[in-house]
Amino acid sequence: MGALETLPPASDAEDALTALTALVRDDLVACNRVIVARMDSPVALIPQLAAHIVAAGGKRLRPVLTLACARLCGYREGLRHVNLAACVEFIHTATLLHDDVVDESRLRRGHASANAVFGNKASVLVGDFLFARAFQLMVEDGSLQVLRILSGAAATIAEGEVLQLVTQNDLSTSEAQYLDVVRGKTAALFAAACEVGAVVAARPAAEVAALRDYGMNLGIAFQLADDALDYAADQAVLGKTVGDDFREGKITLPVLSAYDAGDAAERGFWQRTIEACEQTDADLEQALRLMSERGAIRVTLQRAAHFAALARQSLAEFADTPLRRLLQAVANYAVSRAR
Amino acid sequence: MGALETLPPASDAEDALTALTALVRDDLVACNRVIVARMDSPVALIPQLAAHIVAAGGKRLRPVLTLACARLCGYREGLRHVNLAACVEFIHTATLLHDDVVDESRLRRGHASANAVFGNKASVLVGDFLFARAFQLMVEDGSLQVLRILSGAAATIAEGEVLQLVTQNDLSTSEAQYLDVVRGKTAALFAAACEVGAVVAARPAAEVAALRDYGMNLGIAFQLADDALDYAADQAVLGKTVGDDFREGKITLPVLSAYDAGDAAERGFWQRTIEACEQTDADLEQALRLMSERGAIRVTLQRAAHFAALARQSLAEFADTPLRRLLQAVANYAVSRAR
């Protein structure tokens, strides 16, 4: 509980992400150029569809992490971090395309999703293309260690996504299983994005591991806060629709917490709405009220704050520089934006 | 036309594939073991779904090609060819899973397709997993040249699939564009499967290129014959339903040939059935009759025979051994099975 209270206000934390992004701005501009150049293809639909999702914006958080971690590790002599940041963003974009098909989403970051505009078929295939392109970029980089990290992350992401599919609508999912889903679908790529920053700088194994841990914990904090945000009815942030997870019967910590703490009647409510997916218009409001009464959002954000604290601690390996402090502040941002 | 007439009877050619498979049987058994071991995951649905499609059989043509090409190149000292053959089959399986989702297929090799049994979502995600796993296997192999070949093939496959989607229902597609689709969706992986056989044996560039050409031409011949087979109403082979391509409005050489050679009334028929996808029960029979009258299947098989001849010629680089003759006979098999 302490971790949550000691976080700075959301505005300060958001400033940290802005400041971090500003610090790597030149590299990020170069990374965006690589992204545009390498999503090109003689098959015009590929860059069209890819541009739709890449141009839709997003914070480019993962490539920023790769660029910042490379800089934290003193990498100066080349553009490997720029190319690998693009590669990380390609893997992320490929998974977004496939996620939206799997979730039948019509919106992504407040705009029509690629599958809504171009259809499921094109989204699946262009996702495959971007995934393959990511590997081509890695092969050009030429480091087997980088390839090992990112191909491992790709397999773990897919495992996490399948596990999420399996646990959907299942209220007997344990918090440990839920965290396995989160580690897979989100945190594994955060971890890999940070880790390769240390690898290009040829840093010792302890620093490589420290940045992997930082990314993993940051990713978990980020996803937990995101899952809380999905029920944060008073905030119109992130271009997300409140209640998406609820309508899909997605098992997230807010639901598991409210279910575990609920009485028999409440459990019946969750079984009907999440397990049987029988929902009326009034059910989302009832879900939000039960979560508030049972402190489910607060519990979720406390868990997020715990992982954010672990992320900050992972950076103890590095000298106390302004860049390190910014990376630590970004861990706060992951959680504060959801309060 | 000559090329088609000089082919041996189908039964002899099929014996060639059987003989080739028998020749690499020990390696293929080892490859199947790698496939089963490496499609495993703590997420039980992954091996379940993967086993459904892997166990459904198929000829394991691509891994057999990798194993046979490695042997043709004198590779003896290790198991790299076995692991890379598994990797090629994983890429193939991943594309099949995604294809069946994209094509909304209910059948694969005469059995219920994975998406019909497990749903589209699981098929997309397990496809992603197998694709990632393929890259992990390649990284374990450790050759950047192999990684370059197979990541390039993966990108080309996706491009071919998207191009196929774009040209669907479009009778103005040129034969050149159609061949680009075929090179991408089918032949690129045949080429890569053969090429890595030479790479593991550390053969000179000319032999590597020769096997790539062999695989590419073989793959084109194979797909052309497959497209002919889809209209070969008197054959119940391959577990395929006759007329699948017709019902989907897929643009293949039989359709393009019949359309190009047709009179105004015939063109109207193709525009209605393929472009507008307005079909009645009697239309498939009419399509088959028009193809027969316009020699469309024959033209397609002649093109297939042309590429099979190119495949055979590509092997001129190698000594005239029984194994080389078997690989050449397999090129005949690709075409003869459709006659």
Side-chain angles (χ1 to χ4, degrees), chain A residues 66-271:
Chain A
T66 300
L67 299 172
C69 288
R71 180 177 289 230
L72 182 75
C73 291
Y75 180 73
R76 290 280 180 280
E77 64 270 33
L79 290 171
R80 291 181 62 197
H81 63 323
V82 167
N83 291 321
L84 293 175
C87 162
V88 165
E89 187 69 359
F90 275 160
I91 294 177
H92 175 55
T93 308
T95 63
L96 290 187
L97 286 171
H98 288 185
D99 276 359
D100 283 345
V101 169
V102 167
D103 290 344
E104 295 159 20
S105 307
R106 312 303 295 166
L107 285 178
R108 159 76 53 195
R109 296 171 188 146
H111 298 93
S113 60
N115 49 313
V117 177
F118 298 93
N120 283 342
K121 301 176 181 190
S123 286
V124 169
L125 298 175
V126 174
D128 289 349
F129 174 82
L130 291 177
F131 196 45
R133 188 62 100 211
F135 274 95
Q136 288 187 294
L137 273 164
M138 282 178 238
V139 173
E140 288 171 27
D141 175 74
S143 157
L144 282 170
Q145 193 180 354
V146 164
L147 278 155
R148 196 171 301 114
I149 292 164
L150 285 166
S151 62
T156 304
I157 292 168
E159 280 181 322
E161 301 268 7
V162 176
L163 186 60
Q164 174 169 262
L165 193 64
V166 171
T167 58
Q168 198 155 355
N169 309 110
D170 182 0
L171 286 166
S172 73
T173 305
S174 65
E175 186 179 330
Q177 283 176 305
Y178 163 76
L179 283 174
D180 279 344
V181 170
V182 168
R183 277 191 198 92
K185 73 170 186 172
T186 305
L189 190 55
F190 273 74
C194 295
E195 188 175 3
V196 298
V199 171
V200 293
R203 302 303 303 164
E207 290 186 22
V208 173
L211 283 181
R212 179 177 60 233
D213 290 348
Y214 167 75
M216 182 63 80
N217 289 310
L218 176 66
I220 298 172
F222 200 87
Q223 185 62 55
L224 285 169
D226 221 44
D227 290 348
L229 266 175
D230 208 88
Y231 289 97
D234 54 338
Q235 301 188 31
V237 282
L238 298 183
K240 285 187 69 162
T241 324
V242 168
D244 276 349
D245 290 351
F246 182 72
R247 277 181 289 271
E248 289 169 28
K250 217 171 244 183
I251 296 298
T252 61
L253 195 51
V255 170
L256 290 180
S257 301
Y259 179 72
D260 285 346
D263 60 23
E266 290 171 39
R267 290 186 160 225
F269 169 82
W270 294 113
Q271 282 155 3

Side-chain angles (χ1 to χ4, degrees), chain B residues 274-322:
Chain B
I274 297 290
E275 288 202 329
C277 256
E278 289 167 14
Q279 300 184 4
T280 66
D281 286 349
D283 283 336
L284 177 59
E285 212 171 313
Q286 168 75 344
L288 294 172
R289 191 167 58 245
L290 293 180
M291 282 181 179
S292 166
E293 285 170 20
R294 296 299 181 181
I297 301 298
R298 181 159 188 88
V299 164
T300 302
L301 289 177
Q302 280 168 352
R303 297 293 287 152
H306 165 74
F307 285 103
L310 289 180
R312 290 194 300 277
Q313 287 161 27
S314 306
L315 296 180
E317 190 77 24
F318 297 89
D320 183 16
T321 60

Side-chain angles (χ1 to χ4, degrees), chain A residues 40-43 45-46 98-99 101-104 121-122 124-126 128-129 131-133 135-136 139 142-144 147-148 151-152 154-155 158-159 161-163 165-166 168, chain B residues 40-43 45-46 98-99 101-104 121-122 124-126 128-129 131-133 135-136 139 142-144 147-148 151-152 154-155 158-159 161-163 165-166 168:
Chain A
D40 202 15
S41 162
V43 182
L45 178 58
I46 291 175
H98 288 185
D99 276 359
V101 169
V102 167
D103 290 344
E104 295 159 20
K121 301 176 181 190
V124 169
L125 298 175
V126 174
D128 289 349
F129 174 82
F131 196 45
R133 188 62 100 211
F135 274 95
Q136 288 187 294
V139 173
S143 157
L144 282 170
L147 278 155
R148 196 171 301 114
S151 62
E159 280 181 322
E161 301 268 7
V162 176
L163 186 60
L165 193 64
V166 171
Q168 198 155 355
Chain B
D40 202 14
S41 162
V43 182
L45 178 58
I46 292 175
H98 288 186
D99 276 359
V101 170
V102 167
D103 291 345
E104 295 159 20
K121 303 176 180 190
V124 169
L125 298 175
V126 174
D128 290 349
F129 174 81
F131 196 46
R133 187 62 102 211
F135 274 95
Q136 288 186 293
V139 172
S143 157
L144 283 170
L147 277 155
R148 196 172 300 115
S151 63
E159 279 181 323
E161 301 268 7
V162 177
L163 186 60
L165 193 63
V166 171
Q168 197 155 355

